[in-house]
Amino acid sequence: MSTTELAWFKSSYSGTSGDNCVEVAASTNAVHVRDSKIERSPQLAVEPTTWSAFVAYATGH
């Protein structure tokens, strides 16, 4: 699956004014992260367990 075929969604922590938006898409082997306001934004891909640990740390869980 290419990253253009992924189902991207805006982070619930992104601002409502359209700036500072982070989009995330999950695939079988990775969680992809990109900046939505930059056309052809570079993407970060991490293992699902790494993403889960990051989210748990960021939300204090």
Side-chain angles (χ1 to χ4, degrees), residues 19-34:
D19 56 354
N20 299 324
C21 296
V22 174
E23 292 181 318
V24 179
S27 66
T28 305
N29 299 322
V31 176
H32 304 266
V33 184
R34 70 181 181 187

Side-chain angles (χ1 to χ4, degrees), residues 2 4 6 8 15 21 24 28 33 40 45-48 52-53 61:
S2 75
T4 57
L6 293 171
W8 293 93
C21 296
V24 179
T28 305
V33 184
R40 300 180 70 117
V46 296
E47 292 183 1
S52 294
H61 294 103

Side-chain angles (χ1 to χ4, degrees), residues 29-44:
N29 299 322
V31 176
H32 304 266
V33 184
R34 70 181 181 187
D35 184 338
S36 65
K37 67 183 178 286
I38 300 174
E39 187 176 333
R40 300 180 70 117
S41 172
Q43 298 166 15
L44 170 69

Side-chain angles (χ1 to χ4, degrees), residues 8-26:
W8 293 93
F9 66 93
K10 182 178 167 183
S11 168
S12 60
Y13 289 95
S14 293
T16 57
S17 62
D19 56 354
N20 299 324
C21 296
V22 174
E23 292 181 318
V24 179

